[in-house]
Amino acid sequence: GKFTMCDITDAIGSVNAELNKKLQEIIEFLLHVRDPDLTLEFQQNSIAAQTLEKEFASFQYNEKVMRHLVESGYLRAQFPKGQEMRYSTVLATLLLGNGTTSFKALICRQILLTAGKQEPTTVNAIVPSLLELVRKGSLFLATYATAALVNMTAHHDVVKNTLMQKNVVQVCNDKLRQTDEDLVFYILGLLVNLTKAVHHRAIVVSYGTHQVL
């Protein structure tokens, strides 16, 4: 049969230590995270270590491989218990990086599906990147990012507070003036979650959101 990335990532942890290390090195090479300056020599390193590099946001990588690593849970597994915040930071960086629209939508779906299972502070680390996609992303990405925020605000009060501090109500007002039904639906869902607290309702009213509606 055809040999795929799934075969490699599925084998991790089920073989001896030496073979396990070889498989991880193969994945790292296929992912090929590197500086965009091609005059610099490629430096192979663990995925977790590469994400710590301050230039990681500008690094190039094989998106097809990265997509599989995110979707399969392999990337998350590189950050053991106690390092969940680092994984969230990586996702936040990828959301604002040079990836394609479909890859960023995949990350939004992953966040949407797992938001309720994560610690509030871990989830909160992704909020600024998602809000930036709602502000400036394509209609497609703005809708996905808003859907993720709806799910996050349904589970975590800290996310609501962060969004309020980052002027989310004005963003919602701007998006409500658009005619796309899906985006408006999720914006309204986000506003419902945000206005469950009295002080947040007062902020929304002060922005005149009820007049936009």
Side-chain angles (χ1 to χ4, degrees):
K2 191 176 179 182
F3 190 67
T4 66
M5 275 296 299
C6 288
D7 295 314
I8 301 175
T9 52
D10 287 351
I12 296 288
S14 62
V15 294
N16 64 51
E18 185 179 355
L19 187 51
N20 214 61
K21 186 172 183 294
K22 286 288 183 188
L23 290 174
Q24 287 176 324
E25 288 173 353
I26 290 170
I27 292 170
E28 289 157 9
F29 182 76
L30 291 174
L31 183 59
H32 221 74
V33 177
R34 62 162 297 135
D35 191 289
D37 184 352
L38 299 180
T39 63
L40 299 175
E41 187 179 345
F42 169 64
Q43 300 286 334
Q44 185 158 335
N45 204 345
S46 73
I47 297 170
Q50 287 168 326
T51 60
L52 284 175
E53 297 282 346
K54 62 182 180 181
E55 299 89 359
F56 176 66
S58 65
F59 280 3
Q60 296 176 342
Y61 54 86
N62 184 325
E63 188 181 290
K64 191 172 182 180
V65 175
M66 185 69 89
R67 173 186 287 269
H68 172 73
L69 299 185
V70 171
E71 205 163 16
S72 66
Y74 180 89
L75 185 61
R76 179 186 293 276
Q78 303 313 296
F79 303 92
K81 191 169 179 61
Q83 295 186 25
E84 294 89 351
M85 181 69 80
R86 276 185 59 197
Y87 178 65
S88 291
T89 303
V90 171
L91 292 185
T93 301
L94 292 173
L95 280 174
L96 297 184
N98 299 319
T100 62
T101 295
S102 63
F103 177 51
K104 292 179 180 182
L106 167 68
I107 296 173
C108 288
R109 283 198 299 274
Q110 293 281 315
I111 295 166
L112 191 154
L113 293 171
T114 61
K117 304 169 188 174
Q118 304 296 318
E119 288 295 317
T121 51
T122 302
V123 172
N124 203 41
I126 311 173
V127 170
S129 292
L130 286 171
L131 188 57
E132 189 66 11
L133 284 186
V134 178
R135 274 198 186 103
K136 298 180 180 178
S138 65
L139 185 60
F140 180 73
L141 271 182
T143 304
Y144 260 107
T146 306
L149 288 172
V150 169
N151 209 13
M152 292 163 74
T153 51
H155 291 98
H156 304 294
D157 286 342
V158 67
V159 172
K160 299 178 191 179
N161 295 332
T162 298
L163 284 169
M164 284 299 193
Q165 291 165 10
K166 292 187 175 297
N167 203 22
V168 68
V169 183
Q170 185 59 58
V171 176
C172 288
N173 285 359
D174 293 341
K175 298 304 173 182
L176 284 172
R177 294 186 177 94
Q178 297 193 7
T179 55
D180 184 80
E181 289 184 3
D182 289 335
L183 178 58
V184 169
F185 172 80
Y186 286 115
I187 289 291
L188 289 173
L190 182 57
L191 284 168
V192 167
N193 288 347
L194 289 171
T195 53
K196 287 182 178 177
V198 175
H199 63 293
H200 286 165
R201 279 202 296 276
I203 293 171
V204 172
V205 169
S206 74
Y207 275 84
T209 304
H210 56 296
Q211 294 171 336
V212 177
L213 294 169

